Amino acid sequence: MAVSKVSTETTQDVREWRELLARHADMSCVLERELQAEHQLGMSEFEVLERLAEIPEHSGKVQKLAGAVHLSQSALSRVIGRLEIAGLVERQVCMEDRRAVNVRITAAGLKRHAQAQPTQRRVLAERLHAPVLKSCAWADGE
């Protein structure tokens, strides 16, 4: 029986999807490990600081930030809570929409971001196009 074009393309799509997932997992594990060890920041925490540091007013609505960092609002709220306890961000009521909450990076947050950014950039340069390490493989035999 001949293999149809659709099943061949589907198999290739599945392989590429799995490779993408593996690369994402590899990058996430390495970034998490390096940022935590060197700067006491998780990958999501760094990403929140990065997005806030990039915007001129260093402040943004939580809802918009959630989309930018690809986290649910509840997950982002937990990340912001950890950053707030560390003194790296502050929550503020949005003056234009009293139902919304803004988050603003503090001077300490800008400093921590500046210290951590070279680590994140180094990991990206070293790992983004390199073979997947499988450093966080789910089984020893993988």
Side-chain angles (χ1 to χ4, degrees):
M1 175 181 239
V3 176
S4 73
K5 183 178 179 182
V6 172
S7 66
T8 303
E9 288 173 355
T10 301
T11 301
Q12 179 62 25
D13 289 346
V14 170
R15 270 197 300 273
E16 289 179 22
W17 171 245
R18 289 179 180 167
E19 182 179 325
L20 178 63
L21 289 175
R23 181 161 303 285
H24 179 268
D26 179 60
M27 290 295 301
S28 296
C29 288
V30 175
L31 280 169
E32 190 74 32
R33 184 176 55 240
E34 297 285 327
L35 289 169
Q36 194 60 244
E38 296 181 33
H39 308 285
Q40 297 73 52
L41 288 173
M43 187 179 73
S44 294
E45 294 162 339
F46 174 83
E47 200 60 36
V48 167
L49 293 177
E50 173 107 318
R51 298 304 174 110
L52 291 171
E54 289 174 345
I55 54 180
E57 57 277 3
H58 300 305
S59 178
K61 288 184 180 178
V62 171
Q63 183 176 7
K64 189 171 182 181
L65 187 58
V69 297
H70 308 289
L71 293 173
S72 68
Q73 282 193 1
S74 62
L76 178 59
S77 183
R78 290 189 297 275
V79 171
I80 290 170
R82 291 191 299 271
L83 291 169
E84 200 170 28
I85 289 168
L88 304 177
V89 301
E90 298 173 335
R91 292 181 216 232
Q92 304 169 325
V93 174
C94 177
M95 298 314 285
E96 301 87 42
D97 180 358
R98 311 263 315 146
R99 298 167 296 170
V101 175
N102 283 342
V103 63
R104 186 183 70 79
I105 192 169
T106 64
L110 286 168
K111 182 178 178 182
R112 180 84 61 92
H113 170 261
Q115 292 167 339
Q117 190 179 48
T119 300
Q120 190 251 15
R121 298 303 198 263
R122 175 182 50 78
V123 170
L124 292 180
E126 290 172 358
R127 298 294 320 136
L128 195 56
H129 302 288
V132 176
L133 285 177
K134 297 187 180 184
S135 57
C136 296
W138 63 274
D140 292 334
E142 292 292 305

